[in-house]
Amino acid sequence: MIEIGLTGGIGSGKSTVAEMLVERGAVLLDADRIVRDLQAPGGSVFAAMVERWGERIIADDGTLDRQAVAAIVFNDADELEALNGIVHPAVAEELKTQREAVEGSDTIVVLDIPLLVRADGTSDKDRYANLAGIVVVDVDPGVALDRLVAQRGFDENDARARIANQASREQRRAVADVVIDNSGSLDALALQVDDVWSWARALPPAEASDSSGSSCTST
């Protein structure tokens, strides 16, 4: 098994790169996606959250009302701790299960790490020491802004604020083993992903003793 980390700022196209890598045979470990799945109706986290906070966190369509949850935990440290106590162990366990399912194989595992580098420039790279390499998806902030507004429906001011509240391009690039420039077309991106795939396949596999350490820290 070969594990690589994948990171990038909002609007960079990191999720598109992750999907392209999956198309080429990678296994994606995405904590955010796991959270969404577990918080869907019928999921274990959804049930535990409703048990604690009741139907006020259920939207009219029966799904989780995330804004209602945010209103409960935003200024209440105890409630936030309770939420984390429900979500984090469940996500860590699911990440561990997914990783163990491919451990010992020749699979390339992509660990999605949105906040590998924080807004103050500090990095969690040392927490992922067992990764064979780190890929950063890079894009000009202006391009990211246009995509967030045009493709994802963000308010422009909100999009600018979110970009400004993240690490800079230079800070993310500083931790990269490979940088993908996603300022062009999808065809150009696909060619770069092909190169990353070839690079990843040539990397040394993770040590067998590395268990679930890296994957469980992304939540």
Side-chain angles (χ1 to χ4, degrees), residues 7-8 20 28 35 56 63 65 96 105 114 118 154 159 169 183 187 204 212-213:
T7 193
M20 287 182 171
L28 177 64
V35 170
R56 59 179 169 155
T63 61
D65 187 336
K96 180 180 178 182
S105 70
R118 291 178 285 273
F154 276 73
R169 297 175 72 187
S183 58
D187 288 340
S212 63

Side-chain angles (χ1 to χ4, degrees), residues 1-13:
M1 180 175 69
I2 297 170
E3 289 186 280
I4 62 172
L6 178 66
T7 193
I10 187 171
S12 67

Side-chain angles (χ1 to χ4, degrees), residues 112-167:
D112 189 312
I113 317 171
L115 298 178
L116 179 62
V117 185
R118 291 178 285 273
D120 62 1
T122 58
S123 169
D124 278 342
K125 185 175 181 179
D126 290 345
R127 296 173 63 189
Y128 299 92
N130 67 319
L131 293 177
I134 293 174
V135 177
V136 169
V137 185
D138 181 55
V139 70
D140 182 272
V143 174
L145 176 65
D146 291 343
R147 289 174 178 169
L148 290 173
V149 173
Q151 299 175 14
R152 295 174 58 179
F154 276 73
D155 173 79
E156 183 174 339
N157 290 332
D158 182 32
R160 289 184 185 277
R162 289 176 183 244
I163 292 172
N165 198 39
Q166 292 191 334

Side-chain angles (χ1 to χ4, degrees), residues 22-97:
V22 169
E23 289 170 358
R24 285 154 178 78
V27 171
L28 177 64
L29 299 184
D30 183 344
D32 288 343
R33 183 174 297 180
I34 290 172
V35 170
R36 291 194 295 270
D37 290 344
L38 293 175
Q39 288 182 337
S44 60
V45 169
F46 179 87
M49 291 175 66
V50 172
E51 181 178 357
R52 179 174 178 87
W53 291 295
E55 295 189 0
R56 59 179 169 155
I57 65 168
I58 301 178
D60 291 340
D61 63 358
T63 61
L64 185 70
D65 187 336
R66 299 181 187 279
Q67 289 187 335
V69 175
I72 293 171
V73 305
F74 187 72
N75 287 316
D76 191 320
D78 290 337
E79 295 288 31
L80 179 59
E81 183 178 359
L83 176 63
N84 288 338
I86 292 171
V87 174
H88 287 191
V91 173
E93 186 62 30
E94 179 59 25
L95 281 168
K96 180 180 178 182
T97 298

Side-chain angles (χ1 to χ4, degrees), residues 201-215:
R201 287 167 62 89
L203 291 170
E207 295 293 335
S209 61
D210 282 339
S211 187
S212 63
S214 68
S215 59

